[in-house]
């Protein structure tokens, strides 16, 4: 079964400086959030998808893909609610039995902006996560002079979150093989047992991992024996130019729309 670590280690973008990738991702996210038009989030989404295609060829662990789709569904539902509750002139009416739900023009514009911003942010951050192995992430945090406790927590959460997801996927596969999801009653019983099993196994895995770290003389630091490429001026310039170019494009388009 493909794991997130295998995806990151097999990515051709793993050779890029982790701090450079982080700066680029933050620049794209910031300009997407600061934009007032649909053009900039759309461009950021295209850039994120292109980077993701180069990095992983859209090959993810199955459970990670399900989690991404679940997040996108939640964002889409939220955007629909925004389109309904935002005041404005009605553009579309959705008949739902005795009620008519109107989608306003201002609501549709705001919902589209939120939707594109969310999709763009997910694609960019997913590129960073799937192209940065854990040792590279630790090296980047040390380069930023972050406190050792913060970097330790971030890296452990980053690592063991995916392990928990992979464990839950195996449990769901075992449940389906035993017809544990056949029927509503069986599904509810299976989900409750899996939730309890995941809780107990997570505690057990945490205890065993802590013992293993202490046996390896763990002192709150994750050394990288093959240090990644260092941050250079090209990546800083690329991040700055990307931010300024997209920001100026957004301001120019906003002025054109106002005129």
């Amino acid at each position: 079964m493909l794991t997130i670590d295998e995806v990151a280690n097999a990515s051709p973008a793993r050779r890029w400086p982790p701090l450079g990738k982080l700066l680029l991702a933050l620049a794209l996210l910031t300009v997407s959030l600061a934009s007032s038009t649909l053009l900039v989030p759309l461009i950021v989404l295209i850039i994120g998808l292109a980077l993701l295609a180069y990095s992983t060829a859209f090959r993810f662990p199955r459970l990670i893909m399900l989690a991404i789709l679940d997040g996108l569904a939640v964002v889409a539902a939220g955007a629909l609610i925004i389109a309904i509750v935002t005041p404005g002139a009605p553009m579309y009416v959705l008949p739902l039995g005795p009620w008519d739900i109107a989608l306003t023009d201002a609501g549709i514009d705001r919902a589209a902006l939120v939707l594109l911003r969310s999709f763009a942010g997910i694609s960019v951050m997913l590129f960073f996560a799937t192209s940065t192995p854990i040792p590279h992430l630790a090296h980047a945090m040390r380069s930023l002079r972050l406190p050792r406790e913060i970097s330790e927590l971030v890296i452990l959460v980053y690592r063991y979150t995916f392990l928990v997801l992979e464990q839950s996927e195996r449990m769901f596969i075992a449940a389906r093989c035993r017809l544990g999801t056949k029927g509503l009653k069986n599904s509810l019983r299976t989900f409750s047992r899996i939730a309890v099993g995941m809780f107990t196994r997570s505690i057990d895995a945490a205890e065993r991992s802590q013992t293993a770290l202490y046996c390896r003389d763990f002192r709150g630091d994750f050394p990288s024996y093959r240090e990644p490429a260092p941050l250079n001026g090209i990546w800083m310039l690329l991040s700055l130019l990307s931010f300024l170019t997209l920001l100026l494009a957004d301001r120019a388009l906003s002025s054109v729309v106002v005129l």
Side-chain angles (χ1 to χ4, degrees):
M1 182 175 59
L2 191 67
T3 64
I4 194 69
D5 285 341
E6 293 172 347
V7 173
N9 288 315
S11 171
R14 74 184 185 280
R15 306 185 189 93
W16 297 356
L19 281 179
K21 292 184 288 186
L22 180 61
L23 283 178
L24 180 61
L26 290 178
L28 293 175
L29 284 175
T30 304
V31 74
S32 177
L33 292 174
S35 64
S36 56
T37 62
L38 298 176
L39 177 63
V40 172
L42 180 60
I43 294 176
V44 173
L45 175 60
I46 294 173
I47 294 174
L49 291 177
L51 291 173
L52 203 55
Y54 172 76
S55 174
T56 65
F58 299 108
R59 294 175 62 249
F60 305 109
R62 182 174 177 273
L63 192 61
I64 302 300
M65 179 63 70
L66 292 177
I68 294 171
L69 294 177
D70 181 69
L72 295 179
V74 172
V75 171
L80 179 61
I81 294 174
I82 291 174
I84 294 173
V85 302
T86 303
M91 291 188 63
Y92 302 99
V93 177
L94 301 177
L96 293 179
W99 300 281
D100 290 335
I101 298 179
L103 304 180
T104 63
D105 53 354
I108 292 176
D109 293 339
R110 183 173 297 181
L113 184 61
V114 170
L115 199 64
L116 280 178
R117 283 176 176 175
S118 303
F119 288 177
I122 290 174
S123 64
V124 171
M125 293 310 299
L126 194 59
F127 156 72
F128 178 76
T130 56
S131 63
T132 308
I134 293 178
H136 292 190
L137 182 62
H139 183 272
M141 289 184 173
R142 288 197 300 270
S143 301
L144 293 174
R145 301 294 189 271
L146 290 177
R148 188 175 64 179
E149 293 78 11
I150 295 179
S151 62
E152 177 187 353
L153 285 175
V154 170
I155 293 170
L156 288 176
V157 170
Y158 177 90
R159 175 71 180 103
Y160 286 98
T161 297
F162 295 113
L163 289 180
V164 170
L165 290 175
E166 292 163 8
Q167 180 64 38
S168 64
E169 183 180 16
R170 287 194 289 268
M171 294 178 71
F172 275 110
I173 292 175
R176 286 195 297 270
C177 292
R178 293 171 173 83
L179 302 180
T181 58
K182 185 177 181 181
L184 179 59
K185 184 177 180 180
N186 287 334
S187 298
L188 293 176
R189 185 185 297 112
T190 299
F191 291 156
S192 63
R193 289 178 178 175
I194 289 178
V196 174
M198 287 302 304
F199 180 74
T200 56
R201 292 194 182 192
S202 298
I203 294 177
D204 181 64
E207 292 176 350
R208 288 188 285 106
S209 299
Q210 185 177 15
T211 303
L213 288 173
Y214 286 155
C215 291
R216 291 168 173 82
D217 196 24
F218 177 71
R219 298 181 180 180
D221 192 19
F222 293 87
S224 178
Y225 300 104
R226 292 183 179 180
E227 293 190 354
L231 178 66
N232 52 39
I234 296 178
W235 280 96
M236 298 176 65
L237 183 61
L238 176 63
S239 302
L240 182 61
L241 286 179
S242 300
F243 178 82
L244 292 178
T245 302
L246 293 176
L247 184 63
L248 291 176
D250 178 73
R251 295 295 181 265
L253 186 59
S254 298
S255 61
V256 170
V257 171
V258 171
L259 293 177

